[in-house]
Amino acid sequence: MSKLALLGVLSSAVFSGASLLYATLGEIVSERSGIVNLGLEGVLLVSASTGFAVTSLTGNPYLGVLAAVIAGGLMNMILGYLVVNRKANQLASGLALMFFGFGLSALIGKGFVGAKIVGLPRLAVPGSSGLPKLYASLLRFDILIYLAVPVAIAIWWLLFRTRWGLGVRAVGESPDTAFASGRNPRLIRFQALWLGGALAGVGGAHLSIAYAMNWTEYMTAGLGFIAIALVIFSKWHPLYAIAGALLFSGAVAFQLLLQSSGIQVSPFLLSTIPYVLTLVVLMAWGSRRRMAAPAGLGQVYEGVE
Amino acid sequence: MIPGSEAVSAPPVLSVRDLVKRFPGVLANDSISLDAMPGEVHALLGENGAGKSTLVKCIYGFYRRDSGELLIDGEPTEIRSPQEARSRGIGMVFQTLTLIPALSVVENVALFLADLPAIPKLERIAAGLETLGERYDLKVDPWAQVRDLSIGQQQKAELLKLLLSQPRLLILDEPTRVLAPQEVQGFFQVLKRLVDDGLSVILITHKLNEVLECADRITVLRQGRVAGQVERTDATETGLVRLMFDRDLTIAPVSRSTAESAEGPPVLELQQAYTRGEGAATSLEQIDLVIRPWEIVGVAGVSGNGQKELGELILGSAPCIQGTKRLFGEDFTRRSIGDVRRAGVAYIPENPLAMAVNPHMTVLQNMAITQTRRYSRRGGLSIDWQAVESDTELTWERLGFRVPPHLLARSLSGGNLQRAVIARELSHEPRLIIASYLTHGLDVQSVHAARAALVQARDQGAGVLLISEDLEELSEYSDRMVVMHAGRIVGDFRTADADIYEVGRLMTGSQFAYG
Ligand SMILES: Nc1ncnc2c1ncn2[C@@H]1O[C@H](COP(=O)(O)OP(=O)(O)OP(=O)(O)O)[C@@H](O)[C@H]1O
Ligand SMILES: [Mg+2]
């Protein structure tokens, strides 16, 4: 197999890995506050379609990203209303949000199927200018990719080094204790959901505006659910999420390589490799005491009596 | 009391007027009034379930009161949330600890600091904790995760948390419950210094000697109402007990173990047992311990020296990585908790809310969860709730106290929760009882009832492991005493021959430092 094919596969792994990382970070923030968002897939789709539509209409991809961020935040506000205000079951509400997202994104994107946009500009990796042109063209990434790891570090800092982050983690562990400490668990959960939705929005926007540069229905293809699995994999920790996203998209790239190398194994079997890997890691880490989920995850906060 | 009758100089920091709080089916506070004066310790007494915790939670804005008024410095004030209480300088230590197990001690402390900056410097808070701990002899590793701490260490962390936040009115709901006697002394010295600087304190406790020692005024609650208010100078122990229970207490003298040489195999035999403690938990090393039937063995030691792990080792929730564990003459080293329990081991853990009950189930359901086989009918398809209820009734009758059976465990008062766990563990004739902090949160009357039940079980042939930091309790009730330090058993005495100073020296581990 040529080096070019290898580079191509790796390059696409970086693109999908960045979307995955943003989505995972978003889910980490909301789960740290105690809310599982099973509707992440729907949130990603709605932000991808909204971002694409706005980019296509205005010709400005940055405006598209902004629109996607707001769309993601708003989608999570729906979940917040259901599970925080109406005290609905989180899992059922999340699934409802997902199906709502399927429909809404299809509706938003309907007029834009096949539309051409100017995507986010791609910048060459420093030092790649010396390479042959074909190679160098594969090493050009958009700004969101370069920002992915710094954002993960920033989220880690926010959660573990700031007062707000301490409050979020406290609410996720024990809303009653957080309340006793003078915090408003409902407000904090809404804030965390908003931030989580915004991050998912970046992931969705990256998918449609920077990577694929088109809109197709259900273009996320399960990315949201993989992100939810990666949250567990990364022990609800933003920095481990970087490793998780790398590992998972690396596994996807690897199985694509195997497929293209003409190996005599069913491609259906090969395409399960990343998921099998996820399962293996979950099994290996699942028993550790230190990686327990936030204690208040999935619980309804009843408020004062 | 007549409002304003004592306001000669400064108005009360806090006045409560006719506060009423109702829960479904319970009138927890029925028109309660009290004043907290500046520079004064106001004690709140009452039997388990009298409504003390509910009252202070209403003051702190944790519960919403149904009616009544709060006045701060004489001004009517609305307190709708803990946030508002804190901004008015009211701090509170809850009865059930409000520490988050997954966070470190510093993070827990930071959470409750009123003036925490947006980007807190945890190192600085940790340093503050260490100096405070040094000064008041409340030493806790600031970076340890709370889940790895023993209950006594957690209580210290809780106290440090509040000392650091410097409120004007401090509400303490049984702050000394799980502290060792010498630590209680230290704590009251701290409190005195703070009160001299003008701090007001509302103190809830069941220990009458503490009240008589440090309170200026005492309010006694009974079944949600104020049963009486007395100045300390007018208070006597019998008078207070009469106000609390509306009658006098009779306390039977303790009997000693009667069995001369107990027949049958020991109920527990640990030989060179080791456990591995994760994180800050203590690892047990070289544990040799034998408990015979008809015997109460006391475990003395400063909290956090392996007592919790010893209980877990016997129950089987902490695996024995080396050595052997025999129960009732059989090898149980590798057997499950279920096997251990079915063999007749009862366990009253140090933190019942976290380790012994499911807070979202009712009292009756919690009574049944350790005995599901016994109560299951039709091959496990249904549970005989009537049998559970009648068994529970019987136990309560025997113990002399009762708990509302259909309440959720989480809405029980602290003492009632402990009563429920004791009742469950002491029913069904256990052959080995492990009891940590048996009297944790109980009122005077229930303390006697619980201890009497333990002695009774012993007199019927059970072996008992009584883990406590209270040397008086140990020397009064145990037939034999072992001392734990740093995960090892460092002393083993017949209580009758034990020298209290020697025990104290072993507990603090000074023979390692000097010998
Ligand atoms: N959240 C709740 N829901 C329903 N009932 C409650 C709730 N909290 C307390 N109660 C009931 O109110 C009564 C008073 O409880 P409270 O906790 O104030 O007692 P307490 O005086 O603090 O007792 P203890 O000494 O055992 O701590 C009890 O009967 C209790 O069961
Ligand atoms: Mg109480």
Side-chain angles (χ1 to χ4, degrees):
Chain A
M1 184 194 334
S2 71
K3 276 191 212 146
L4 198 62
L6 185 74
L7 201 61
V9 164
L10 284 180
S11 160
S12 79
V14 170
F15 270 97
S16 66
S19 293
L20 189 57
L21 182 54
Y22 283 114
T24 308
L25 290 173
E27 185 74 13
I28 286 178
V29 172
S30 62
E31 291 201 14
R32 277 283 179 178
S33 81
I35 294 178
V36 191
N37 183 1
L38 279 192
L40 185 60
E41 186 84 11
V43 178
L44 286 172
L45 280 171
V46 169
S47 5
S49 65
T50 312
F52 188 80
V54 169
T55 309
S56 166
L57 290 174
T58 63
N60 185 338
Y62 298 105
L63 272 182
V65 173
L66 184 67
V69 163
I70 293 172
L74 288 177
M75 281 292 280
N76 267 9
M77 289 302 98
I78 299 176
L79 185 72
Y81 176 73
L82 288 174
V83 303
V84 178
N85 291 14
R86 308 302 310 162
K87 300 179 185 172
N89 178 289
Q90 292 188 4
L91 303 185
S93 309
L95 289 176
L97 185 73
M98 176 185 77
F99 286 114
F100 174 66
F102 283 179
L104 184 65
S105 61
L107 184 72
I108 295 172
K110 207 168 84 187
F112 300 93
V113 178
K116 289 260 179 301
I117 58 159
V118 189
L120 281 178
R122 295 187 177 179
L123 313 167
V125 176
S128 66
S129 49
L131 294 171
K133 212 160 173 220
L134 213 49
Y135 286 67
S137 71
L138 286 172
L139 286 176
R140 297 170 67 81
F141 301 118
D142 62 273
I143 180 89
L144 291 180
I145 290 183
Y146 291 110
L147 281 179
V149 170
V151 165
I153 295 172
I155 295 294
W156 166 81
W157 181 82
L158 193 63
L159 282 176
F160 290 91
R161 288 288 180 271
T162 66
R163 180 178 63 200
W164 184 77
L166 183 61
V168 170
R169 286 184 294 141
V171 171
E173 292 288 338
S174 164
D176 280 333
T177 304
F179 178 62
S181 79
R183 284 168 176 76
N184 180 345
R186 294 202 176 96
L187 180 67
I188 289 185
R189 284 190 161 173
F190 266 110
Q191 291 167 340
L193 272 178
W194 179 270
L195 177 60
L199 284 166
V202 177
H206 181 260
L207 214 55
S208 65
I209 306 176
Y211 181 26
M213 294 212 256
N214 65 27
W215 162 254
T216 43
E217 245 178 70
Y218 193 48
M219 68 187 297
T220 50
L223 195 75
F225 282 100
I226 294 162
I228 292 171
L230 276 188
V231 172
I232 305 170
F233 172 92
S234 58
K235 306 176 177 183
W236 290 265
H237 197 295
L239 298 185
Y240 295 141
I242 302 175
L246 269 180
L247 188 70
F248 186 84
S249 40
V252 172
F254 175 70
Q255 66 91 6
L256 286 178
L257 275 180
L258 279 185
Q259 280 189 33
S260 61
S261 71
I263 194 171
Q264 289 304 310
V265 178
S266 158
F268 296 112
L269 202 59
L270 286 177
S271 57
T272 62
I273 288 179
Y275 305 96
V276 172
L277 185 76
T278 312
L279 283 177
V280 167
V281 175
L282 284 181
M283 279 189 282
W285 287 20
S287 62
R288 299 273 175 82
R289 189 165 155 239
R290 289 274 165 222
M291 66 151 307
L297 194 61
Q299 278 178 21
V300 173
Y301 172 59
E302 293 288 353
V304 288
E305 288 158 271
Chain B
M1 132 184 321
I2 309 142
S5 63
E6 283 162 64
V8 260
S9 50
V13 177
L14 172 89
S15 304
V16 179
R17 295 273 165 267
D18 300 322
L19 190 143
V20 177
K21 175 69 191 172
R22 216 179 293 271
F23 291 114
V26 200
L27 184 55
N29 287 165
D30 184 3
S31 178
I32 292 183
S33 301
L34 62 85
D35 292 316
M37 307 302 288
E40 176 182 274
V41 176
H42 193 131
L44 209 52
L45 288 181
E47 61 180 322
N48 291 136
K52 307 177 296 293
S53 299
T54 306
L55 173 64
V56 291
K57 281 181 185 167
C58 287
I59 295 175
Y60 188 62
F62 191 84
Y63 285 159
R64 218 168 279 138
R65 62 181 189 278
D66 295 328
S67 66
E69 261 201 304
L70 298 178
L71 293 90
I72 290 183
D73 299 325
E75 302 280 323
T77 311
E78 203 41 66
I79 295 180
R80 278 168 302 239
S81 68
Q83 163 97 57
E84 292 184 3
R86 297 170 61 77
S87 70
R88 303 217 145 73
I90 302 178
M92 170 154 157
V93 174
F94 285 72
Q95 182 171 20
T96 44
L97 300 174
T98 49
L99 293 170
I100 295 179
L103 302 187
S104 67
V105 174
V106 233
E107 286 176 321
N108 271 291
V109 171
L111 193 65
F112 277 76
L113 284 182
D115 52 353
L116 189 69
I119 299 160
K121 295 252 180 309
L122 290 183
E123 285 76 17
R124 198 173 299 164
I125 299 172
L129 278 179
E130 265 168 352
T131 40
L132 261 185
E134 208 56 54
R135 177 138 41 105
Y136 298 130
D137 206 21
L138 295 165
K139 269 176 238 146
V140 185
D141 174 10
W143 299 106
Q145 294 234 315
V146 167
R147 69 156 65 106
D148 296 329
L149 299 182
S150 72
I151 190 93
Q153 290 168 312
Q154 291 187 20
Q155 185 81 46
K156 288 184 212 170
E158 189 85 56
L159 292 175
L160 285 172
K161 176 165 108 183
L162 140 174
L163 289 179
L164 218 56
S165 68
Q166 301 180 324
R168 286 179 61 213
L169 170 68
L170 204 55
I171 302 173
L172 302 170
D173 196 347
E174 295 188 44
T176 58
R177 196 181 37 203
V178 293
L179 292 184
Q182 70 276 14
E183 290 166 343
V184 172
Q185 284 310 318
F187 173 67
F188 279 120
Q189 267 156 27
V190 177
L191 209 60
K192 261 188 203 119
R193 236 175 289 172
L194 293 170
V195 170
D196 288 342
D197 294 342
L199 179 85
S200 313
V201 176
I202 295 179
L203 174 71
I204 298 179
T205 177
H206 288 297
K207 295 176 183 155
L208 295 177
N209 55 341
E210 287 179 3
V211 171
L212 293 170
E213 184 184 323
C214 78
D216 297 296
R217 230 143 26 112
I218 303 159
T219 297
V220 180
L221 298 189
R222 188 168 66 230
Q223 293 173 1
R225 299 171 145 273
V226 176
Q229 272 180 336
V230 274
E231 300 283 322
R232 184 206 3 212
T233 40
D234 308 333
T236 60
E237 204 162 319
T238 37
L240 289 176
V241 166
R242 203 168 298 152
L243 272 180
M244 284 166 73
F245 302 104
D246 204 16
R247 62 189 163 82
D248 292 323
L249 289 184
T250 46
I251 297 156
V254 191
S255 65
R256 283 283 149 202
S257 180
T258 45
E260 291 305 307
S261 60
E263 60 268 35
V267 291
L268 172 76
E269 210 178 347
L270 293 173
Q271 266 175 3
Q272 291 294 304
Y274 285 72
T275 65
R276 191 182 298 117
E278 258 185 70
T282 314
S283 301
L284 296 182
E285 288 172 22
Q286 295 184 330
I287 299 291
D288 282 312
L289 180 65
V290 176
I291 303 177
R292 293 174 208 290
W294 285 283
E295 178 179 54
I296 296 181
V297 177
V299 178
V302 177
S303 168
N305 274 288
Q307 296 96 322
K308 178 180 170 199
E309 290 77 10
L310 183 62
E312 288 175 347
L313 167 67
I314 298 170
L315 192 70
S317 54
C320 181
I321 55 168
Q322 206 182 316
T324 55
K325 170 173 84 183
R326 299 173 70 79
L327 293 172
F328 318 111
E330 270 179 71
D331 185 23
F332 268 79
T333 316
R334 306 254 169 277
R335 306 277 288 274
S336 72
I337 302 180
D339 288 341
V340 172
R341 277 206 169 265
R342 276 188 290 278
V345 175
Y347 184 42
I348 300 166
E350 54 177 29
N351 190 354
L353 198 56
M355 295 158 72
V357 298
N358 180 330
H360 302 286
M361 298 193 331
T362 65
V363 172
L364 268 191
Q365 287 166 342
N366 273 301
M367 294 300 287
I369 45 177
T370 54
Q371 298 289 338
T372 43
R373 287 206 184 171
R374 181 192 186 101
Y375 293 120
S376 68
R377 299 288 180 272
R378 285 186 256 152
L381 290 178
S382 70
I383 293 229
D384 188 348
W385 289 110
Q386 238 149 22
V388 178
E389 201 159 351
S390 58
D391 276 7
T392 308
E393 282 296 334
L394 270 180
T395 319
W396 281 335
E397 213 152 286
R398 190 157 58 83
L399 289 174
F401 48 64
R402 45 177 311 117
V403 184
H406 297 290
L407 272 188
L408 293 185
R410 68 191 290 263
S411 57
L412 285 180
S413 82
N416 279 341
L417 185 76
Q418 182 75 2
R419 285 168 165 186
V421 172
I422 292 176
R424 180 181 76 197
E425 296 299 320
L426 294 188
S427 46
H428 313 300
E429 280 122 41
R431 293 197 283 162
L432 169 61
I433 301 165
I434 309 159
S436 303
Y437 297 98
L438 176 74
T439 58
H440 184 145
L442 296 181
D443 62 36
V444 197
Q445 190 181 15
S446 312
V447 165
H448 292 302
R451 286 175 175 164
L454 214 58
V455 170
Q456 192 188 13
R458 191 260 326 263
D459 291 344
Q460 287 167 359
V464 178
L465 188 71
L466 179 63
I467 300 174
S468 172
E469 279 186 277
D470 183 351
L471 286 182
E472 260 172 55
E473 176 177 45
L474 288 177
S475 49
E476 193 168 339
Y477 288 90
S478 59
D479 305 304
R480 203 151 57 77
M481 221 197 254
V482 298
V483 184
M484 284 197 84
H485 178 76
R488 290 164 182 260
I489 290 183
V490 294
D492 192 336
F493 310 87
R494 288 209 18 228
T495 307
D497 316 332
D499 166 5
I500 279 296
Y501 292 101
E502 173 70 3
V503 172
R505 196 178 62 80
L506 289 172
M507 274 168 71
T508 50
S510 40
Q511 97 271 23
F512 294 121
Y514 305 113

